[in-house]
């Protein structure tokens, strides 16, 4: 049982380049989330999805797009990377039932924008 | 507005001594509170949660947390610290907007010295 898997683990981009981060979960969770982690700021929610084919904006959505074509996958896209998007990106997932389920996290993607 | 505060950037404790990592929250209604731990180059791991009931919640790895409604606090505790407990700890509160979204504190780095 792999849980939440993120690819790639590391990436270096030049300003203006685009890329897609992939998150896959094998727990049949309905909800999925993308966060960014910056020093001293905790985790901030970028976008989330409550089911296949649905996405919604979080706290810091600007400059990012997401898609959830399959229940197990949640993609985060950067169309034109900027140095301010240098961060560690985490994907998480949780069950919908009961409304108090913990989120399960992947090990992150470390992204540097030069 | 909902928020979580972790007033200490770092907590230092000697191995074998008790430890406390502080967390206060601001949320309307009854809070759902969580603690997560992050080891270097890893994602967040769920430790424990408070939903309702007993104010003392027990979790993984010998950790426990005390909920205090009057002080709006949810401090993480362990009776005897281990060097292996050294990590980054995050407190979180469930967002009233639903979908198990979480609002995280900035994190507290715990350093346990031999």
């Amino acid at each position: 049982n792999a849980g939440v898997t993120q690819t790639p683990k590391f990436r270096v981009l030049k300003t203006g380049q685009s890329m897609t981060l992939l998150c896959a979960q094998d727990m049949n969770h309905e909800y999925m989330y993308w966060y960014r982690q910056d020093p001293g700021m905790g985790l901030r929610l970028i976008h989330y999805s409550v089911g296949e084919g649905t996405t919604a904006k979080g706290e810091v959505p600007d400059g990012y797009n997401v898609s959830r074509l399959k229940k197990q996958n949640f993609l985060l896209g950067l169309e034109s990377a900027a140095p301010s998007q240098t961060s560690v990106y985490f994907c998480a997932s949780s069950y919908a039932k009961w409304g108090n389920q913990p989120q399960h996290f992947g090990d992150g993607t470390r992204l540097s924008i030069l | 507005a909902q928020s979580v505060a972790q007033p200490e950037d770092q907590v230092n404790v000697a191995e074998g001594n008790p430890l406390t990592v502080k967390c206060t929250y601001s949320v309307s209604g009854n809070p759902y509170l969580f603690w997560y731990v992050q080891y270097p180059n890893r994602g967040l791991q769920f430790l424990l949660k408070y939903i309702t009931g007993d104010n003392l919640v027990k979790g993984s790895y010998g950790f426990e947390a005390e909920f205090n409604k009057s002080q709006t606090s949810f401090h993480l505790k362990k009776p005897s610290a281990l060097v292996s407990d050294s990590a980054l700890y995050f407190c979180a509160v469930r967002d009233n907007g639903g979908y198990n979204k979480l609002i995280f504190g900035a994190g507290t780095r715990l350093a346990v010295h031999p």
Side-chain angles (χ1 to χ4, degrees), chain A residues 27-111:
Chain A
M27 297 172 282
N28 202 33
H29 286 169
E30 292 84 359
Y31 299 160
M32 296 186 75
Y33 317 84
W34 275 107
Y35 294 91
R36 59 178 290 171
Q37 182 181 22
D38 301 294
M41 302 188 72
L43 275 75
R44 292 181 292 168
L45 184 64
I46 303 171
H47 286 281
Y48 64 100
S49 168
V50 301
E52 183 177 319
T54 71
T55 64
K57 294 180 180 180
E59 180 187 359
V60 289
D62 293 343
Y64 305 95
N65 57 75
V66 288
S67 64
R68 189 153 177 217
L69 300 179
K70 295 182 179 180
K71 185 177 184 178
Q72 62 268 34
N73 296 337
F74 195 28
L75 278 62
L76 177 71
L78 286 73
E79 291 187 347
S80 180
S84 61
Q85 294 177 305
T86 293
S87 188
V88 183
Y89 291 86
F90 287 98
C91 177
S93 66
S94 74
Y95 284 115
K97 194 174 182 181
W98 305 124
N100 59 14
Q101 299 302 307
Q103 294 181 14
H104 300 257
F105 285 79
D107 282 340
T109 294
R110 286 148 185 82
L111 184 60

